[in-house]
């Protein structure tokens, strides 16, 4: 299960920041049950190796290290192997449940920001953003969605299937048509892979361009993101790494081989500055991007002071 989850995340069979985080938590719990060690230290070493393998699968979605950190939190202080094992299993299951509840809570808060008759534009395939749209529709609001194609991996296909299955009127557009349609839209609603302490939102490549178009057209941009999408280490000045994926996702190897002077750049995510973000819907409430530090400090439990204290 560990190896297959690692491979599925790497190959993007499991994708989307929330799903990746829950899959990693589940894989750690599963690994804890099958590890053969008889010594606590060996067990902890094995689990740390597994945690590192999972975290290395995709570098941008901070939900992944955040989930792994939460699941592994008790392992260093466990007194026995059984305590360590059961601690990991319990925290993984707690993380998965609270993550699912967070998405539900975001749906009910986010749905309040979608009015009857609204046209919503979304990008990529975000469980949290879609949950808000589905909840607004469930409440009987007449809504319409513009969904982008999302080159090169076409996550938009997953989005339009979900919207279609729910019976929501949807227009499917190529990524470059965003500005052409932005004036027909009341609200842009997207998810996040990571949110920095300055409120900048990292999400699927193309989000920043959509945010620019929305800003110019005075259309609000709302981000739906669980609190574990906030990146604690950005309080130390760490930057969020933007994953760059293989060239073959954009240009087949046979075409590329005929173009020796051309290189493909394929970043999977981009950064939308806080100035272009009107609101972030978390399970703790709807907040302005400027409140990111409060989430990191009060909800995730990290503060700059803990790094400033002199070592004893
Ligand atoms: C997915 C993506 C999604 C966020 C949020 O990128 O950018 O918008 O992960 O999704 P990829 P969710 O397809 O490369 O993983 O709300 O489901 O966590």
């Amino acid at each position: 299960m560990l190896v297959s989850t690692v491979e599925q995340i790497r190959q993007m069979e499991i994708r989307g920041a929330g799903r990746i985080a829950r899959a990693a938590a589940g894989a750690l719990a599963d690994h804890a049950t099958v590890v053969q060690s008889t010594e606590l230290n060996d067990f902890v070493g094995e689990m740390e190796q597994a945690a590192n393998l999972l975290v290395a699968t995709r570098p941008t979605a901070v939900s992944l290290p955040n989930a792994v950190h939460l699941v592994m939190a008790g392992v260093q202080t466990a007194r026995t192997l059984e305590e360590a094992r059961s601690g990991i299993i319990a925290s993984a299951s707690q993380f998965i449940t609270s993550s699912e509840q967070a998405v539900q809570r975001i749906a009910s808060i986010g749905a309040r920001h979608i009015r009857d008759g609204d046209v919503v534009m979304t990008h990529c395939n975000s469980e949290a953003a879609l949950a808000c749209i589905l909840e607004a529709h469930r409440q009987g609001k007449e809504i319409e969605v513009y969904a982008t194609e999302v080159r090169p991996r076409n996550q938009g296909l997953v989005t339009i299937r979900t919207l279609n299955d729910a019976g929501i009127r949807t227009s499917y557009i190529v990524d470059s048509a965003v500005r052409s349609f932005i004036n027909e839209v009341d609200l842009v609603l997207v998810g996040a892979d990571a949110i920095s302490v300055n409120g900048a939102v990292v999400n699927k490549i193309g989000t920043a361009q959509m945010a620019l178009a929305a800003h110019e057209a005075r259309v609000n941009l709302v981000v739906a993101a669980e609190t574990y999408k906030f990146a604690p280490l950005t309080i130390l000045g760490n930057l969020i790494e933007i994953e760059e994926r293989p060239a073959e996702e954009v240009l087949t190897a046979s075409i590329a081989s005929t173009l020796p002077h051309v290189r493909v750049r394929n970043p999977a995510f981009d950064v939308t500055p806080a100035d272009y973000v009107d609101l972030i819907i978390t399970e703790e409430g709807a907040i302005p991007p400027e409140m990111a530090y409060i989430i990191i400090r009060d909800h995730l439990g990290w503060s700059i002071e803990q790094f400033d204290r002199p070592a004893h």
Side-chain angles (χ1 to χ4, degrees):
M1 160 93 166
L2 173 72
V3 177
S4 74
T5 304
V6 163
E7 215 33 50
Q8 283 174 306
I9 297 175
R10 224 181 251 146
Q11 301 301 331
M12 292 177 63
E13 286 155 28
I14 299 173
R15 46 145 302 282
R19 290 189 175 93
I20 289 173
R22 289 197 294 273
L28 284 174
D30 186 73
H31 197 59
T33 60
V34 299
V35 162
Q36 298 288 337
S37 329
T38 49
E39 294 289 324
L40 175 61
N41 281 348
D42 290 350
F43 176 79
V44 172
E46 287 265 6
M47 289 309 300
E48 278 171 351
Q49 248 184 344
N52 292 339
L53 260 181
L54 285 161
V55 168
T57 51
R58 293 194 74 189
T60 303
V62 76
S63 52
L64 176 58
N66 277 350
V68 167
H69 179 79
L70 283 169
V71 172
M72 296 290 287
V75 86
Q76 292 295 352
T77 51
R79 282 155 307 177
T80 64
L81 194 155
E82 266 327 301
E83 195 179 312
R85 195 193 305 274
S86 57
I88 285 176
I89 296 168
S91 353
S93 134
Q94 204 181 340
F95 175 79
I96 293 168
T97 307
S98 70
S99 159
E100 287 163 353
Q101 285 169 348
V103 175
Q104 281 169 21
R105 182 98 187 102
I106 287 170
S108 82
I109 299 172
R112 291 193 197 123
H113 287 269
I114 303 175
R115 296 161 308 179
D116 194 18
D118 269 357
V119 179
V120 182
M121 183 179 271
T122 192
H123 185 52
C124 197
N125 177 254
S126 158
E127 182 186 33
L130 273 179
C132 302
I133 295 172
L134 293 171
E135 175 58 18
H137 173 72
R138 196 196 60 78
Q139 291 172 359
K141 292 177 186 167
E142 193 66 50
I143 51 177
E144 196 184 322
V145 177
Y146 275 79
T148 46
E149 186 181 25
V150 196
R151 278 275 293 154
R153 296 293 297 245
N154 301 324
Q155 287 93 332
L157 270 181
V158 186
T159 296
I160 60 171
R161 273 194 200 109
T162 303
L163 293 167
N164 180 71
D165 290 351
I168 297 173
R169 198 143 57 96
T170 301
S171 298
Y172 186 46
I173 60 171
V174 296
D175 301 323
S176 42
V178 164
R179 192 161 180 254
S180 298
F181 290 114
I182 198 74
N183 287 313
E184 296 176 24
V185 165
D186 299 294
L187 177 74
V188 171
L189 181 57
V190 292
D193 279 82
I195 299 173
S196 168
V197 67
N198 64 0
V201 171
V202 179
N203 191 48
K204 180 53 58 194
I205 188 82
T207 305
Q209 232 166 241
M210 190 179 272
L212 260 180
H215 190 73
E216 182 198 40
R218 294 173 182 267
V219 171
N220 280 350
L221 181 135
V222 172
V223 175
E226 305 88 303
T227 49
Y228 53 78
K229 309 269 179 72
F230 287 73
L233 294 178
T234 56
I235 60 178
L236 290 182
N238 286 18
L239 298 175
I240 293 161
E241 184 182 339
I242 302 292
E243 174 182 12
E244 187 142 356
R245 296 199 50 91
E248 300 79 67
E249 289 187 346
V250 180
L251 209 56
T252 61
S254 62
I255 296 179
S257 67
T258 65
L259 304 166
H261 302 294
V262 175
R263 76 169 168 161
V264 172
R265 299 297 309 270
N266 184 19
F269 301 98
D270 62 21
V271 183
T272 299
D275 286 351
Y276 298 106
V277 177
D278 290 283
L279 204 62
I280 303 175
I281 314 269
T282 77
E283 71 276 21
E284 295 293 303
I287 60 162
E290 291 75 19
M291 269 180 70
Y293 179 61
I294 308 291
I295 295 288
I296 292 172
R297 188 191 61 193
D298 296 352
H299 193 79
L300 300 179
W302 299 68
S303 73
I304 192 74
E305 288 82 18
Q306 78 196 77
F307 299 101
D308 277 351
R309 286 195 202 108
H312 292 295

